[in-house]
Coordinates of all heavy atoms in Angstrom, one line a residue:
A5 N 11.8 -4.3 6.3 CA 10.9 -5.3 5.6 C 9.6 -4.7 5.2 O 9.1 -3.8 5.9 CB 10.7 -6.5 6.6
V6 N 9.1 -5.1 4.2 CA 7.7 -4.7 3.7 C 6.7 -5.7 4.1 O 6.9 -6.9 4.0 CB 7.7 -4.5 2.2 CG1 6.3 -4.2 1.7 CG2 8.7 -3.4 1.7
V7 N 5.6 -5.3 4.7 CA 4.5 -6.2 5.1 C 3.7 -6.5 3.9 O 3.0 -5.7 3.4 CB 3.7 -5.6 6.2 CG1 2.5 -6.6 6.6 CG2 4.5 -5.3 7.4
P8 N 3.8 -7.8 3.3 CA 3.0 -8.1 2.1 C 1.5 -8.1 2.3 O 0.8 -8.1 1.3 CB 3.5 -9.5 1.7 CG 4.2 -10.0 3.0 CD 4.6 -8.9 3.8
A9 N 1.0 -8.1 3.5 CA -0.4 -8.1 3.8 C -1.1 -6.8 3.4 O -2.3 -6.7 3.1 CB -0.7 -8.4 5.2
Y10 N -0.2 -5.7 3.3 CA -0.7 -4.4 3.0 C -0.3 -4.0 1.6 O 0.8 -4.3 1.2 CB -0.2 -3.3 4.0 CG -0.8 -3.6 5.3 CD1 -0.1 -4.4 6.3 CD2 -2.0 -3.0 5.7 CE1 -0.7 -4.6 7.5 CE2 -2.5 -3.2 7.0 CZ -1.8 -4.1 7.9 OH -2.4 -4.3 9.1
C11 N -1.2 -3.5 0.8 CA -0.9 -3.2 -0.6 C -1.7 -1.9 -1.0 O -2.6 -1.5 -0.3 CB -1.2 -4.3 -1.5 SG -3.0 -4.8 -1.5
G12 N -1.2 -1.4 -2.1 CA -2.0 -0.2 -2.7 C -3.2 -0.8 -3.3 O -3.4 -2.0 -3.4
H13 N -4.1 0.1 -3.8 CA -5.4 -0.4 -4.4 C -5.9 0.7 -5.3 O -5.5 1.8 -5.3 CB -6.4 -0.6 -3.2 CG -6.6 0.6 -2.3 ND1 -7.3 1.7 -2.6 CD2 -6.0 0.8 -1.1 CE1 -7.3 2.6 -1.7 NE2 -6.5 2.1 -0.7
G14 N -6.9 0.3 -6.1 CA -7.6 1.2 -7.0 C -8.5 2.1 -6.2 O -8.9 1.7 -5.1
V15 N -8.8 3.3 -6.8 CA -9.8 4.2 -6.2 C -10.8 4.5 -7.3 O -10.4 5.0 -8.3 CB -9.1 5.5 -5.7 CG1 -10.1 6.4 -5.2 CG2 -8.0 5.2 -4.7
G16 N -12.0 4.2 -7.0 CA -13.1 4.4 -8.0 C -14.4 4.4 -7.3 O -14.6 5.0 -6.2
R17 N -15.3 3.5 -7.8 CA -16.7 3.4 -7.2 C -16.5 2.8 -5.7 O -17.3 3.2 -4.9 CB -17.6 2.6 -8.0 CG -18.0 3.3 -9.3 CD -19.1 2.5 -10.0 NE -19.4 3.2 -11.2 CZ -19.5 2.7 -12.4 NH1 -19.2 1.4 -12.6 NH2 -19.8 3.5 -13.4
L18 N -15.6 1.9 -5.6 CA -15.2 1.4 -4.3 C -13.9 2.0 -3.9 O -12.9 2.0 -4.7 CB -15.0 -0.1 -4.3 CG -16.3 -1.0 -4.7 CD1 -15.9 -2.4 -4.8 CD2 -17.4 -0.8 -3.6
F19 N -13.8 2.6 -2.7 CA -12.6 3.2 -2.3 C -11.4 2.3 -2.2 O -10.3 2.5 -2.8 CB -12.7 3.9 -0.9 CG -11.4 4.6 -0.5 CD1 -10.9 5.7 -1.2 CD2 -10.7 4.1 0.6 CE1 -9.8 6.3 -0.8 CE2 -9.5 4.7 1.0 CZ -9.1 5.8 0.3
H20 N -11.5 1.1 -1.6 CA -10.5 0.1 -1.6 C -10.8 -1.0 -2.6 O -10.9 -2.1 -2.3 CB -10.3 -0.5 -0.2 CG -9.7 0.4 0.8 ND1 -10.4 1.1 1.7 CD2 -8.4 0.8 1.0 CE1 -9.6 1.8 2.5 NE2 -8.4 1.7 2.0
G21 N -10.9 -0.6 -3.9 CA -11.2 -1.5 -4.9 C -10.0 -2.0 -5.7 O -8.9 -1.7 -5.4
P22 N -10.3 -2.8 -6.7 CA -9.2 -3.4 -7.5 C -8.7 -2.3 -8.4 O -9.3 -1.3 -8.6 CB -10.0 -4.4 -8.3 CG -11.4 -4.0 -8.3 CD -11.7 -3.3 -7.0
P23 N -7.4 -2.5 -8.8 CA -6.6 -3.6 -8.6 C -5.8 -3.5 -7.3 O -5.6 -2.4 -6.8 CB -5.6 -3.6 -9.8 CG -5.4 -2.1 -10.1 CD -6.8 -1.5 -9.8
E24 N -5.3 -4.6 -6.8 CA -4.3 -4.6 -5.7 C -3.0 -4.2 -6.3 O -2.6 -4.7 -7.3 CB -4.3 -5.9 -4.9 CG -5.5 -6.1 -4.1 CD -5.4 -7.3 -3.2 OE1 -4.4 -8.1 -3.3 OE2 -6.3 -7.5 -2.4
I25 N -2.2 -3.3 -5.6 CA -0.9 -2.9 -6.0 C 0.1 -3.4 -5.0 O 0.3 -2.8 -4.0 CB -0.8 -1.4 -6.1 CG1 -2.0 -0.8 -6.9 CG2 0.5 -1.0 -6.7 CD1 -2.1 -1.1 -8.3
P26 N 0.8 -4.6 -5.2 CA 1.8 -5.1 -4.3 C 3.0 -4.2 -4.2 O 3.4 -3.6 -5.2 CB 2.1 -6.5 -4.8 CG 1.1 -6.8 -5.8 CD 0.6 -5.5 -6.3
H27 N 3.6 -4.2 -3.0 CA 4.8 -3.4 -2.8 C 6.1 -4.3 -2.6 O 6.9 -3.9 -1.8 CB 4.7 -2.5 -1.6 CG 3.5 -1.6 -1.6 ND1 2.4 -1.8 -0.8 CD2 3.2 -0.6 -2.5 CE1 1.5 -0.9 -1.1 NE2 1.9 -0.2 -2.1
Y28 N 6.1 -5.4 -3.2 CA 7.2 -6.3 -2.9 C 7.6 -7.0 -4.2 O 6.8 -7.2 -5.1 CB 6.9 -7.3 -1.8 CG 5.6 -8.0 -2.0 CD1 5.5 -9.2 -2.7 CD2 4.4 -7.5 -1.5 CE1 4.3 -9.9 -2.9 CE2 3.2 -8.1 -1.7 CZ 3.2 -9.3 -2.4 OH 2.0 -9.9 -2.6
K29 N 8.8 -7.5 -4.2 CA 9.3 -8.2 -5.4 C 8.6 -9.6 -5.6 O 8.1 -10.1 -4.6 CB 10.8 -8.5 -5.3 CG 11.7 -7.3 -5.3 CD 13.1 -7.6 -5.2 CE 14.0 -6.4 -5.2 NZ 15.4 -6.8 -5.0
R30 N 8.7 -10.1 -6.8 CA 8.2 -11.4 -7.1 C 6.7 -11.6 -6.7 O 6.3 -12.6 -6.2 CB 9.0 -12.5 -6.4 CG 10.4 -12.6 -7.0 CD 11.3 -13.7 -6.5 NE 11.7 -13.5 -5.1 CZ 12.7 -12.7 -4.8 NH1 13.4 -12.0 -5.7 NH2 13.1 -12.5 -3.5
N31 N 5.9 -10.5 -7.0 CA 4.5 -10.6 -6.7 C 3.8 -11.1 -8.0 O 4.4 -11.3 -9.0 CB 3.9 -9.2 -6.3 CG 4.0 -8.2 -7.4 OD1 3.4 -8.3 -8.4 ND2 4.9 -7.2 -7.2
K32 N 2.6 -11.5 -7.9 CA 1.9 -12.0 -9.0 C 0.9 -11.1 -9.7 O -0.1 -11.5 -10.3 CB 1.2 -13.3 -8.6 CG 2.2 -14.4 -8.1 CD 1.5 -15.7 -7.9 CE 2.4 -16.6 -7.1 NZ 3.4 -17.3 -7.9
A33 N 1.1 -9.8 -9.5 CA 0.2 -8.8 -10.1 C 0.3 -8.8 -11.6 O 1.4 -8.9 -12.1 CB 0.5 -7.4 -9.5
V34 N -0.8 -8.7 -12.3 CA -0.8 -8.6 -13.7 C -1.7 -7.4 -14.1 O -2.5 -6.9 -13.3 CB -1.4 -9.8 -14.4 CG1 -0.5 -11.0 -14.1 CG2 -2.8 -10.1 -13.9
G35 N -1.5 -6.9 -15.3 CA -2.3 -5.8 -15.8 C -1.5 -4.6 -16.2 O -0.3 -4.6 -16.0
C36 N -2.2 -3.6 -16.7 CA -1.6 -2.4 -17.2 C -2.5 -1.2 -16.8 O -3.7 -1.2 -17.1 CB -1.3 -2.4 -18.7 SG -0.5 -1.0 -19.3
M37 N -1.9 -0.2 -16.1 CA -2.7 1.0 -15.8 C -2.9 1.8 -17.0 O -2.0 1.9 -17.9 CB -2.0 1.8 -14.7 CG -1.8 1.0 -13.4 SD -3.3 0.4 -12.7 CE -3.8 1.8 -11.8
K38 N -4.1 2.5 -17.1 CA -4.4 3.3 -18.3 C -4.8 4.7 -17.9 O -5.2 4.9 -16.7 CB -5.5 2.6 -19.1 CG -5.2 1.2 -19.6 CD -6.3 0.6 -20.3 CE -5.9 -0.7 -20.9 NZ -7.0 -1.5 -21.4
P39 N -4.7 5.6 -18.8 CA -5.1 7.0 -18.4 C -6.5 7.0 -17.8 O -7.4 6.4 -18.3 CB -5.1 7.7 -19.8 CG -4.1 7.0 -20.5 CD -4.2 5.6 -20.2
G40 N -6.7 7.8 -16.7 CA -7.9 7.9 -16.0 C -8.0 7.0 -14.8 O -8.8 7.2 -13.9
H41 N -7.1 6.0 -14.7 CA -7.1 5.1 -13.5 C -6.5 5.8 -12.3 O -5.5 6.6 -12.5 CB -6.2 3.8 -13.8 CG -6.9 2.9 -14.7 ND1 -6.3 1.7 -15.1 CD2 -8.1 2.8 -15.2 CE1 -7.1 1.0 -15.9 NE2 -8.2 1.7 -16.0
V42 N -7.0 5.6 -11.2 CA -6.5 6.2 -9.9 C -6.2 5.1 -9.0 O -7.0 4.1 -8.9 CB -7.6 7.1 -9.3 CG1 -7.1 7.7 -7.9 CG2 -8.0 8.3 -10.2
F43 N -5.0 5.2 -8.4 CA -4.6 4.1 -7.4 C -3.7 4.7 -6.3 O -3.2 5.8 -6.4 CB -3.9 3.0 -8.2 CG -2.5 3.4 -8.7 CD1 -1.3 3.1 -8.0 CD2 -2.4 4.1 -10.0 CE1 -0.1 3.5 -8.5 CE2 -1.2 4.5 -10.5 CZ 0.0 4.2 -9.8
T44 N -3.6 3.9 -5.3 CA -2.7 4.3 -4.1 C -1.5 3.4 -4.1 O -1.5 2.3 -4.6 CB -3.5 4.2 -2.8 OG1 -3.7 2.8 -2.5 CG2 -4.8 4.9 -2.8
V45 N -0.5 3.9 -3.5 CA 0.7 3.2 -3.0 C 0.8 3.4 -1.5 O 0.9 4.6 -1.1 CB 2.0 3.7 -3.7 CG1 3.2 3.0 -3.2 CG2 1.8 3.4 -5.2
E46 N 0.7 2.4 -0.7 CA 0.7 2.6 0.8 C 1.4 1.5 1.5 O 0.7 0.7 2.2 CB -0.7 2.8 1.3 CG -1.7 1.8 0.8 CD -3.1 2.1 1.3 OE1 -3.2 2.2 2.6 OE2 -4.0 2.2 0.5
P47 N 2.7 1.3 1.3 CA 3.4 0.2 2.0 C 3.5 0.4 3.5 O 3.4 1.6 4.0 CB 4.8 0.3 1.4 CG 5.0 1.7 1.0 CD 3.6 2.2 0.6
M48 N 3.6 -0.7 4.2 CA 4.0 -0.7 5.7 C 5.4 -1.2 5.7 O 5.7 -2.3 5.3 CB 3.0 -1.6 6.4 CG 3.3 -1.6 7.9 SD 2.1 -2.7 8.7 CE 2.6 -2.6 10.4
L49 N 6.3 -0.3 6.2 CA 7.7 -0.6 6.2 C 8.2 -0.9 7.7 O 7.8 -0.1 8.5 CB 8.5 0.5 5.6 CG 8.1 0.9 4.2 CD1 8.8 2.2 3.8 CD2 8.3 -0.2 3.2
N50 N 9.0 -1.9 7.9 CA 9.4 -2.3 9.2 C 10.9 -2.3 9.3 O 11.6 -2.7 8.3 CB 8.9 -3.7 9.6 CG 7.4 -3.7 9.6 OD1 6.7 -2.7 9.7 ND2 6.9 -4.9 9.3
L51 N 11.5 -2.0 10.4 CA 12.9 -2.2 10.7 C 13.1 -3.8 10.8 O 12.2 -4.5 11.2 CB 13.3 -1.6 12.0 CG 13.4 -0.1 12.0 CD1 13.8 0.4 13.4 CD2 14.4 0.4 11.0
G52 N 14.2 -4.2 10.4 CA 14.5 -5.6 10.5 C 14.0 -6.4 9.3 O 13.6 -5.8 8.3
R53 N 14.0 -7.7 9.4 CA 13.7 -8.5 8.2 C 12.3 -9.1 8.3 O 11.8 -9.8 7.4 CB 14.7 -9.7 8.1 CG 16.1 -9.1 7.7 CD 17.0 -10.3 7.5 NE 18.3 -9.7 7.2 CZ 19.3 -10.4 6.7 NH1 19.1 -11.7 6.5 NH2 20.4 -9.8 6.5
N54 N 11.6 -9.0 9.4 CA 10.3 -9.6 9.7 C 9.2 -8.8 9.0 O 9.0 -7.7 9.5 CB 10.1 -9.8 11.2 CG 8.9 -10.5 11.5 OD1 7.9 -10.6 10.7 ND2 8.8 -11.0 12.7
G55 N 8.6 -9.3 8.1 CA 7.4 -8.6 7.4 C 6.1 -9.1 7.9 O 5.1 -8.9 7.2
R56 N 6.0 -9.6 9.1 CA 4.8 -10.1 9.6 C 4.1 -9.1 10.5 O 4.8 -8.3 11.2 CB 4.9 -11.4 10.4 CG 5.4 -12.5 9.4 CD 5.6 -13.9 10.1 NE 6.3 -13.7 11.4 CZ 6.2 -14.6 12.3 NH1 5.4 -15.7 12.2 NH2 6.8 -14.4 13.5
D57 N 2.8 -9.0 10.5 CA 2.1 -8.0 11.3 C 1.0 -8.7 12.2 O 0.7 -9.9 12.0 CB 1.4 -7.0 10.4 CG 0.3 -7.5 9.6 OD1 0.5 -8.6 8.9 OD2 -0.8 -7.0 9.7
K58 N 0.5 -7.9 13.1 CA -0.7 -8.4 13.8 C -1.6 -7.1 14.1 O -1.1 -6.0 14.0 CB -0.3 -9.1 15.1 CG 0.4 -8.2 16.1 CD 0.7 -9.0 17.4 CE 1.4 -8.1 18.4 NZ 1.8 -8.9 19.6
T59 N -2.9 -7.4 14.3 CA -3.8 -6.3 14.6 C -4.2 -6.3 16.0 O -4.5 -7.4 16.6 CB -5.1 -6.5 13.7 OG1 -4.7 -6.5 12.3 CG2 -6.0 -5.3 13.9
W60 N -4.2 -5.2 16.7 CA -4.6 -5.0 18.1 C -6.1 -5.4 18.2 O -6.9 -5.3 17.2 CB -4.3 -3.7 18.6 CG -2.9 -3.4 18.9 CD1 -1.9 -4.3 18.8 CD2 -2.3 -2.2 19.4 NE1 -0.7 -3.7 19.1 CE2 -1.0 -2.4 19.5 CE3 -2.9 -1.0 19.7 CZ2 -0.1 -1.4 20.0 CZ3 -2.0 0.1 20.2 CH2 -0.7 -0.2 20.3
P61 N -6.6 -5.6 19.4 CA -8.0 -5.9 19.7 C -9.0 -4.8 19.2 O -10.1 -5.1 19.0 CB -8.1 -6.1 21.2 CG -6.7 -6.5 21.6 CD -5.8 -5.7 20.6
D62 N -8.5 -3.6 19.0 CA -9.4 -2.5 18.5 C -9.8 -2.8 17.0 O -10.7 -2.1 16.5 CB -8.8 -1.1 18.6 CG -7.5 -0.9 17.8 OD1 -7.2 -1.7 16.9 OD2 -6.9 0.2 18.0
G63 N -9.2 -3.8 16.4 CA -9.6 -4.1 15.0 C -9.0 -3.2 13.9 O -9.3 -3.3 12.8
W64 N -8.2 -2.2 14.3 CA -7.7 -1.2 13.4 C -6.2 -1.0 13.4 O -5.5 -1.0 12.4 CB -8.4 0.1 13.7 CG -7.9 1.3 12.8 CD1 -7.0 2.2 13.2 CD2 -8.2 1.5 11.4 NE1 -6.8 3.1 12.1 CE2 -7.5 2.7 11.0 CE3 -9.1 0.9 10.5 CZ2 -7.7 3.2 9.8 CZ3 -9.2 1.4 9.3 CH2 -8.5 2.5 8.9
T65 N -5.6 -1.0 14.6 CA -4.2 -0.7 14.8 C -3.3 -1.9 14.4 O -3.6 -3.0 14.9 CB -3.9 -0.4 16.3 OG1 -4.7 0.7 16.7 CG2 -2.4 0.1 16.4
A66 N -2.4 -1.7 13.4 CA -1.5 -2.8 13.0 C -0.1 -2.5 13.5 O 0.3 -1.4 13.5 CB -1.5 -2.8 11.4
V67 N 0.5 -3.6 14.0 CA 1.9 -3.5 14.5 C 2.7 -4.7 14.0 O 2.1 -5.6 13.5 CB 1.8 -3.5 16.1 CG1 1.1 -2.3 16.6 CG2 1.2 -4.8 16.6
T68 N 4.0 -4.6 14.2 CA 4.8 -5.7 13.8 C 4.8 -6.8 14.8 O 4.6 -6.5 16.0 CB 6.3 -5.2 13.6 OG1 6.7 -4.7 14.9 CG2 6.4 -4.2 12.5
R69 N 4.9 -8.0 14.4 CA 4.8 -9.1 15.4 C 6.0 -9.1 16.3 O 5.9 -9.5 17.4 CB 4.7 -10.5 14.6 CG 3.4 -10.7 14.0 CD 3.3 -12.2 13.6 NE 2.0 -12.5 13.0 CZ 1.0 -12.9 13.7 NH1 1.1 -13.2 15.0 NH2 -0.2 -13.1 13.1
D70 N 7.2 -8.6 15.8 CA 8.4 -8.6 16.6 C 8.5 -7.3 17.4 O 9.5 -7.2 18.1 CB 9.6 -8.9 15.8 CG 9.9 -7.8 14.7 OD1 9.2 -6.8 14.7 OD2 10.8 -8.0 13.9
G71 N 7.6 -6.4 17.3 CA 7.7 -5.2 18.1 C 8.6 -4.1 17.6 O 8.8 -3.1 18.3
R72 N 9.2 -4.3 16.4 CA 10.2 -3.4 15.9 C 9.4 -2.1 15.4 O 8.2 -2.2 15.1 CB 11.0 -4.0 14.8 CG 11.8 -5.2 15.1 CD 13.1 -5.0 15.8 NE 14.0 -4.1 15.3 CZ 15.1 -4.3 14.5 NH1 15.4 -5.5 14.2 NH2 15.9 -3.3 14.1
R73 N 10.1 -1.0 15.2 CA 9.5 0.2 14.7 C 9.0 0.0 13.2 O 9.5 -0.8 12.5 CB 10.5 1.3 14.7 CG 10.8 1.8 16.1 CD 11.6 3.0 16.1 NE 11.9 3.4 17.5 CZ 11.3 4.4 18.1 NH1 10.3 5.0 17.5 NH2 11.6 4.7 19.4
S74 N 7.9 0.7 12.9 CA 7.2 0.6 11.7 C 6.7 1.9 11.2 O 6.4 2.8 12.0 CB 6.1 -0.4 11.8 OG 5.4 -0.6 10.6
A75 N 6.5 2.1 9.9 CA 5.8 3.3 9.3 C 4.9 2.9 8.2 O 5.2 2.0 7.5 CB 6.9 4.2 8.9
Q76 N 3.8 3.6 8.1 CA 2.9 3.4 7.0 C 2.5 4.7 6.4 O 2.3 5.7 7.2 CB 1.7 2.6 7.5 CG 0.8 2.0 6.4 CD -0.2 3.0 5.8 OE1 -0.6 4.0 6.5 NE2 -0.6 2.8 4.6
F77 N 2.4 4.8 5.1 CA 2.0 6.1 4.4 C 1.3 5.8 3.2 O 1.3 4.6 2.7 CB 3.3 7.0 4.2 CG 4.2 6.3 3.2 CD1 4.2 6.6 1.9 CD2 5.3 5.5 3.7 CE1 5.0 6.0 0.9 CE2 6.1 4.9 2.8 CZ 6.0 5.1 1.4
E78 N 0.6 6.8 2.7 CA -0.2 6.5 1.4 C 0.0 7.7 0.5 O -0.1 8.9 0.9 CB -1.6 6.3 1.8 CG -2.5 6.1 0.6 CD -3.9 5.8 1.1 OE1 -4.2 5.3 2.2 OE2 -4.9 5.9 0.2
H79 N 0.1 7.4 -0.8 CA 0.0 8.5 -1.8 C -1.0 8.0 -2.9 O -1.1 6.8 -3.1 CB 1.4 8.8 -2.5 CG 2.3 9.6 -1.6 ND1 2.0 11.0 -1.4 CD2 3.4 9.4 -1.0 CE1 2.9 11.5 -0.7 NE2 3.8 10.6 -0.4
T80 N -1.6 8.9 -3.5 CA -2.7 8.6 -4.5 C -2.2 9.1 -5.8 O -1.8 10.3 -5.9 CB -4.0 9.1 -4.1 OG1 -4.4 8.6 -2.8 CG2 -5.1 8.7 -5.1
F81 N -2.3 8.3 -6.9 CA -1.8 8.7 -8.2 C -2.9 8.6 -9.2 O -3.8 7.8 -9.2 CB -0.7 7.7 -8.7 CG 0.5 7.8 -7.8 CD1 0.5 6.9 -6.7 CD2 1.5 8.6 -8.0 CE1 1.6 6.9 -5.8 CE2 2.7 8.6 -7.2 CZ 2.7 7.8 -6.1
L82 N -2.9 9.5 -10.2 CA -3.8 9.5 -11.4 C -2.9 9.3 -12.6 O -1.9 10.0 -12.8 CB -4.5 10.9 -11.5 CG -5.2 11.1 -12.9 CD1 -6.4 10.1 -13.1 CD2 -5.7 12.6 -12.9
V83 N -3.3 8.2 -13.4 CA -2.6 7.9 -14.6 C -3.1 8.9 -15.7 O -4.3 9.0 -15.9 CB -2.8 6.5 -15.0 CG1 -2.0 6.2 -16.3 CG2 -2.3 5.5 -13.9
T84 N -2.2 9.6 -16.3 CA -2.6 10.6 -17.4 C -2.1 10.1 -18.7 O -1.3 9.1 -18.8 CB -2.0 11.9 -17.1 OG1 -0.6 11.9 -17.2 CG2 -2.4 12.5 -15.7
E85 N -2.4 10.8 -19.8 CA -2.0 10.5 -21.2 C -0.4 10.6 -21.2 O 0.2 9.9 -22.0 CB -2.6 11.4 -22.2 CG -4.1 11.2 -22.3 CD -4.4 9.9 -23.1 OE1 -3.6 9.3 -23.7 OE2 -5.6 9.5 -22.9
D86 N 0.1 11.5 -20.4 CA 1.6 11.8 -20.5 C 2.4 11.1 -19.4 O 3.6 11.4 -19.2 CB 1.8 13.3 -20.5 CG 1.1 14.0 -21.6 OD1 1.1 13.4 -22.7 OD2 0.7 15.1 -21.4
G87 N 1.8 10.4 -18.5 CA 2.5 9.8 -17.3 C 1.6 9.7 -16.2 O 0.6 8.9 -16.2
M88 N 1.8 10.5 -15.1 CA 1.0 10.4 -13.9 C 1.0 11.7 -13.2 O 1.9 12.5 -13.3 CB 1.5 9.3 -13.0 CG 2.9 9.4 -12.6 SD 3.1 8.5 -11.1 CE 4.1 9.7 -10.2
E89 N 0.0 11.9 -12.3 CA 0.0 13.0 -11.4 C -0.2 12.5 -10.0 O -1.0 11.6 -9.7 CB -1.2 13.9 -11.8 CG -1.4 15.1 -10.9 CD -2.6 15.9 -11.3 OE1 -3.2 15.7 -12.4 OE2 -3.0 16.7 -10.4
V90 N 0.6 13.0 -9.1 CA 0.5 12.6 -7.7 C -0.6 13.5 -7.0 O -0.4 14.7 -6.8 CB 1.9 12.8 -6.9 CG1 1.7 12.4 -5.5 CG2 3.0 12.1 -7.6
L91 N -1.7 12.9 -6.7 CA -2.8 13.7 -6.2 C -2.6 14.1 -4.8 O -3.3 15.1 -4.3 CB -4.1 12.9 -6.3 CG -4.5 12.5 -7.8 CD1 -5.8 11.6 -7.8 CD2 -4.7 13.7 -8.6
T92 N -1.7 13.4 -4.0 CA -1.5 13.8 -2.7 C -0.2 14.7 -2.5 O 0.2 14.9 -1.4 CB -1.3 12.5 -1.8 OG1 -0.4 11.6 -2.5 CG2 -2.7 11.8 -1.6
A93 N 0.3 15.2 -3.6 CA 1.5 16.0 -3.5 C 1.2 17.3 -2.8 O 0.0 17.8 -3.0 CB 2.1 16.3 -4.9
R94 N 2.1 17.9 -2.1 CA 1.9 19.2 -1.5 C 2.4 20.3 -2.3 O 3.3 20.2 -3.0 CB 2.6 19.2 -0.1 CG 1.9 18.2 0.8 CD 2.6 18.3 2.1 NE 1.9 17.4 3.0 CZ 1.6 17.7 4.3 NH1 1.8 18.9 4.7 NH2 1.0 16.8 5.0

């Protein structure tokens, strides 16, 4: 399951700035990326069907509500005239 509370985002003057980039079907995102735009894709993926999360008292650690295993990762992309470049590629 994908946790809909977590989404990708634009990178610019504000690090976690607009636009929000949802990682799930039937989202309401609108717009078109243009050359020069930088954005992230960073889904939180969980085993099972439950896409709900909770945050620990430290205010930072996110876990699944049902205690199932989860993974979160992030990649950053630059939109170019010819497509895109993965800025976090190794």
Side-chain angles (χ1 to χ4, degrees):
V6 174
V7 178
Y10 294 89
C11 61
H13 54 81
V15 177
R17 290 188 179 131
L18 297 174
F19 179 68
H20 286 101
E24 288 191 351
I25 314 291
H27 304 114
Y28 51 91
K29 293 180 181 179
R30 294 183 286 283
N31 64 68
K32 300 191 189 277
V34 296
C36 182
M37 300 302 276
K38 297 180 181 172
H41 287 175
V42 178
F43 68 97
T44 69
V45 172
E46 50 181 304
M48 182 178 178
L49 307 172
N50 303 332
L51 290 177
R53 295 183 181 195
N54 185 340
R56 297 183 313 157
D57 69 305
K58 65 181 179 179
T59 304
W60 283 0
D62 66 8
W64 178 258
T65 306
V67 296
T68 59
R69 285 193 180 266
D70 62 6
R72 304 277 315 255
R73 292 188 180 258
S74 179
Q76 193 274 336
F77 62 93
E78 179 173 339
H79 281 292
T80 304
F81 300 88
L82 166 65
V83 180
T84 67
E85 293 288 342
D86 301 324
M88 58 156 226
E89 179 182 346
V90 182
L91 299 178
T92 50
R94 293 182 178 226

